[in-house]
Amino acid sequence: MQSATGSPGSAAGPGDSATVGPETPEPSTPERATGRATITDVARVAGVSVATVSKVVNGRYGVAAATAEKVLGVVEDLGYESSLVARSLRRRQTNVIGVLVAEFEPFSTELLKGISAAINGTGYELLAYSGDAGRADHVGWERRSLSRLAGTLIDGVVIVTPTLALPVHEGVPIVAIDPHTGPTGPATVDSDNLGGARTATEHLIGLGHTRIGYLGGRSDLESARLRELGFFEAMEAAGLEPDPSLVLEGGYRPDRSDRPTHDLLERPDRPTAVFAANDLSAIHVIQVAQELGLRVPEDLSVIGFDDVPEAAGSTPPLTTIAQSLHEMGAEALRMVIAMLESGTTAGRHTRLPTRLVERASTAPPPAS
């Protein structure tokens, strides 16, 4: 699954006319009626076969350099739809920056909004690509996406929460947002996950809560590890002994957090507050609590992490730790452009601050 944003006419990626092969020639009659050049037109004007044109525009081997140059010239003259690929092959640049996400969920969508706003006026276009939707095995999705796009359709790339340490692609700047492995490898942008989790826990402690449940993210994520560490550090700094049975993994997804949420809230000695490591899980905690007849925040306080738009719209509105998601996206884009314009892929690691956003889902614990 993929989608694209940018100026009209920009290529959307694999699957459009840029990847037409010799076995599926484009129908010439409908295209000619609209004035659009076809692969057959290019072959006729260049004096070569359709198969040769397909090889050239898709970067395949087996075509002499002079013939390839001639075909590319005809492609540009006729305005053939695969000109984005042709431009890449001819000039080694497309002026397109890719944004690779596993799926378009609230976190990545907010980042994309920041990237989209920041690209205005830069002269670059944006290609947003979802590389993991519907796959049973999510690990390694970013490498598969990079192999499809890097060096052909995009000049540089922002990757959101890559699952693996990323290889350095020759001449293709990469900036990873919130990578699973932390600030290693390519340039990275993330938030102060450790400090933000401390702040969330301190907020609950400051309200008088001592029995606090923690619903963590995925164990393979560095951000999840740091948020859990921040929870434990704040509890211990306050002289509170965290109950290990109240620390459960929620996977950053409501469907995965449903069972552990029930486990926390249905026990006779349930916590008086829950810190969920992301907003979607926290909102699900509120929903489960209400289904069980618990009032939020009178019977149970809930705090999240991220400050996606859904947090303010929940009932009650969710207290959370805000990441500057738009700024994270914008900063990642600026870093990619800086590397492109300086001709280097040497990256830096940027960490942005977090802040507490108090809403109506937290309050002092009920009187015993």
Side-chain angles (χ1 to χ4, degrees):
M1 172 183 177
Q2 65 259 5
S3 65
T5 61
S7 61
S10 61
D16 63 4
S17 60
T19 56
V20 172
E23 69 280 2
T24 55
E26 293 181 344
S28 58
T29 303
E31 301 296 338
R32 296 293 290 173
T34 61
R36 174 185 169 193
T38 70
I39 194 171
T40 304
D41 297 328
V42 175
R44 175 176 51 77
V45 174
V48 300
S49 68
V50 169
T52 297
V53 176
S54 178
K55 286 181 179 180
V56 172
V57 299
N58 288 296
R60 301 183 190 132
Y61 296 105
V63 180
T67 301
E69 195 70 18
K70 181 179 180 181
V71 169
L72 291 174
V74 173
V75 164
E76 290 197 356
D77 289 343
L78 295 184
Y80 178 53
E81 281 295 320
S82 61
S83 59
L84 179 63
V85 176
R87 183 173 60 185
S88 171
L89 295 170
R90 189 183 186 101
R91 303 175 186 170
R92 297 300 178 188
Q93 80 179 61
T94 64
N95 281 355
V96 175
I97 295 174
V99 183
L100 307 187
V101 302
E103 58 181 319
F104 293 106
E105 37 69 46
F107 177 79
S108 61
T109 300
E110 290 305 301
L111 293 171
L112 188 58
K113 288 177 184 177
I115 295 170
S116 180
I119 206 166
N120 290 333
T122 64
Y124 290 91
E125 296 177 359
L126 194 61
L127 175 76
Y129 186 96
S130 173
D132 188 38
R135 298 187 67 102
D137 178 16
H138 69 275
V139 176
W141 66 268
E142 63 287 329
R143 293 191 182 218
R144 293 188 291 267
S145 300
L146 274 173
S147 68
R148 282 173 175 250
L149 305 177
T152 303
L153 290 176
I154 57 177
D155 295 339
V157 61
V158 175
I159 305 181
V160 179
T161 58
T163 59
L164 301 171
L166 293 167
V168 176
H169 280 248
E170 185 70 26
V172 179
I174 297 174
V175 176
I177 296 179
D178 194 25
H180 286 211
T181 54
T184 60
T188 63
V189 177
D190 64 9
S191 290
D192 184 8
N193 291 291
L194 180 66
R198 282 199 201 113
T199 299
T201 311
E202 289 165 355
H203 172 68
L204 296 176
I205 294 171
L207 290 172
H209 295 276
T210 58
R211 188 164 177 77
I212 302 172
Y214 179 76
L215 191 61
R218 282 178 21 205
S219 58
D220 62 324
L221 284 172
E222 177 69 359
S223 64
R225 187 191 70 81
L226 290 171
R227 290 175 196 182
E228 183 172 321
L229 179 60
F231 166 74
F232 276 102
E233 286 186 353
M235 290 286 283
E236 291 166 2
L240 300 174
E241 183 69 30
D243 183 343
S245 69
L246 298 183
V247 178
L248 302 177
E249 182 178 327
Y252 280 158
R253 299 177 64 101
D255 55 343
R256 290 185 58 185
S257 66
D258 184 69
R259 184 65 263 167
T261 298
H262 279 272
D263 290 342
L264 283 173
L265 301 187
E266 290 178 346
R267 54 191 293 161
D269 58 344
R270 63 172 175 78
T272 63
V274 173
F275 171 22
N278 78 327
D279 285 346
L280 295 186
S281 296
I283 292 168
H284 190 66
V285 171
I286 293 175
Q287 293 168 346
V288 171
Q290 292 168 343
E291 290 168 6
L292 295 174
L294 298 174
R295 299 168 302 162
V296 177
E298 292 85 356
D299 301 319
L300 179 76
S301 286
V302 182
I303 190 169
F305 201 115
D306 284 339
D307 199 26
V308 296
E310 289 81 353
S314 68
T315 305
L318 180 68
T319 297
T320 189
I321 298 297
Q323 300 191 81
S324 301
L325 297 179
H326 289 189
E327 179 57 25
M328 287 173 69
E331 176 61 16
L333 178 76
R334 288 191 289 263
M335 289 167 67
V336 169
I337 291 176
M339 286 189 278
L340 283 170
E341 295 182 348
S342 66
T344 177
T345 56
R348 69 180 192 272
H349 306 294
T350 300
R351 177 158 292 165
L352 299 178
T354 55
R355 61 187 175 85
L356 174 68
V357 178
E358 292 188 59
R359 296 193 179 105
S361 68
T362 52
S368 357

